[in-house]
Amino acid sequence: MAARVVADGLVLRAWEPADAPAMVELFDDPEVAYWTPLKSPFDLAVATEYVANARRATDKLQLAITTDGVQPLGEVMLNLATGSLGYAIGPAHRGQRLGVRALKVLTAYAHETAGLPRVILEIEPDNSASTAVARAAGYRQTDLPPEHVVDKGRELTLFTWEHLAE
């Protein structure tokens, strides 16, 4: 499912096969490997497969975060079935509020275009960067018990943050 969302100085667009080399620069990073379910190492073969899967998906929007509609700076993702969002910003592009801006834009899209009354983030309590992004984007932590999962051999405790349609 392809979408293009333009707002707040961002162009969120579908991944293209030509983006695979840029994706390696963005996602083959220890922080991305630690905090996200993306494969590590994230090499060209993984990037090529990722783009192909993203382009085939019908229940997810996996969008490159750009400011010019061309150069990817990160990704923001919306799972239409679960209403969950996720994001990753390449190391060279952190500190520019790209995560907050992209999360706000895709949250509005989720409510207004996809018709989701509630969208969620699942964040580890010690992921202070994502917690700050969630708060800045208008999310609040719920009282739901944390979910315990294992990803890439690491035990995770995920707290649910939510944003409700107005």
Side-chain angles (χ1 to χ4, degrees):
M1 171 183 290
R4 183 176 180 94
V5 185
V6 180
D8 198 13
L10 299 177
V11 178
L12 308 179
R13 62 157 177 83
W15 288 110
E16 297 290 337
D19 292 325
M23 293 175 83
V24 174
E25 290 182 33
L26 296 171
F27 303 140
D28 191 36
D29 172 70
E31 289 284 315
V32 172
Y34 188 80
W35 294 116
T36 75
L38 292 174
K39 288 183 182 178
S40 180
F42 198 95
D43 59 19
L44 192 55
V46 171
T48 301
E49 178 185 6
Y50 191 90
V51 170
N53 290 338
R55 293 175 65 79
R56 280 194 299 271
T58 58
D59 62 342
K60 289 184 203 172
L61 291 176
Q62 293 169 260
L63 304 174
I65 300 169
T66 77
T67 55
D68 61 3
V70 179
Q71 182 63 41
L73 310 172
E75 177 184 61
V76 65
M77 182 276 299
L78 169 63
N79 184 317
L80 296 163
T82 64
S84 63
L85 285 89
Y87 48 89
I89 305 299
H93 310 291
R94 295 181 187 146
Q96 302 173 40
R97 298 190 50 85
L98 292 169
V100 172
R101 291 162 49 205
L103 187 57
K104 283 182 172 183
V105 169
L106 197 56
T107 297
Y109 177 93
H111 292 317
E112 297 162 13
T113 303
L116 299 174
R118 176 181 182 256
V119 290
I120 64 166
L121 303 169
E122 294 176 312
I123 304 173
E124 291 182 82
D126 55 344
N127 187 342
S128 58
S130 280
T131 299
V133 168
R135 280 194 181 103
Y139 281 73
R140 68 164 194 83
Q141 188 174 340
T142 70
D143 293 331
L144 295 172
E147 183 178 353
H148 300 281
V149 298
V150 176
D151 181 55
K152 296 186 272 190
R154 191 166 77 85
E155 293 184 24
L156 310 177
T157 300
L158 299 172
F159 286 87
T160 301
W161 292 68
E162 71 179 356
H163 190 281
L164 303 174
E166 296 177 7

